[in-house]
Amino acid sequence: LDLYDEAVRQCLRVKRDCPWLWEASLLEAEARWSRGESAAKALTPLSGLRPPAAARPSFLAWRGALKVWSGRAAEAFADLDESVAAGNHNAHCWRGAARTLTGDPAGAVADLDAVIASDPGDDEALIWRAEALLALGRRDEARRDLDAAAGRGALWAFALRARLELSEDRLDAARA
């Protein structure tokens, strides 16, 4: 917890000394949420923030991701849609996550397919696609995505794969 407090202090110093570094506000918001602040309070540093026009797609992807992480996935779509339209790779992944969390797994798979087509090693996209595929009942495809991500050491892939194996009463596979 002390590390997150220190991260917030450092972000505040950067914002004071270099107000043009808009990324410091995003990092501050992430640190605030990570240390346990409510989503509304953690996202406060982003209110009124105006990044340069060229950075807007990246800013929107980050802000959308923070909304997804903090349990406000339904509120993330405006940011993520605009960022995707501007060609931001990360926004596709986070929009897929938001779609998974808000009950649109087919839309999530479409977004995540786009991410994985351009970066087959994007473990986060593979894990989110596995979640969406599981919601669609496509267990074998989900297992392939999880195996690929787990093979590169993505910890969350191991947890989701164990959940999949347990749901199929495959206790031996879950223990592996």
Side-chain angles (χ1 to χ4, degrees), residues 6 18 22 24 37 43 70 86 91-92 103 126 128 131 173:
E6 181 59 24
C18 307
W22 59 272
E37 291 185 19
L43 292 170
S70 62
H92 270 284
L126 286 166
W128 278 111
E131 287 271 11

Side-chain angles (χ1 to χ4, degrees), residues 11-112:
C11 288
L12 290 171
R13 281 189 202 116
V14 169
K15 287 169 54 175
R16 181 194 66 220
D17 297 341
C18 307
W20 61 89
L21 289 176
W22 59 272
E23 295 94 335
S25 292
L26 291 167
L27 295 172
E28 177 193 355
E30 185 175 341
R32 288 178 178 284
W33 181 77
S34 295
R35 77 176 182 188
E37 291 185 19
S38 70
K41 189 172 179 185
L43 292 170
T44 299
L46 306 184
S47 62
L49 185 61
R50 302 280 183 263
R56 184 167 172 78
S58 182
F59 165 73
L60 292 172
W62 272 56
R63 187 169 70 182
L66 286 168
K67 289 176 182 178
V68 170
W69 296 339
S70 62
R72 297 168 65 177
E75 297 174 25
F77 286 110
D79 289 341
L80 296 172
D81 289 346
E82 184 178 335
S83 185
V84 165
N88 187 284
H89 172 84
N90 292 329
H92 270 284
C93 184
W94 288 108
R95 189 171 69 179
R99 285 182 170 168
T100 300
L101 294 170
T102 59
D104 179 14
V109 169
D111 272 330
L112 296 161

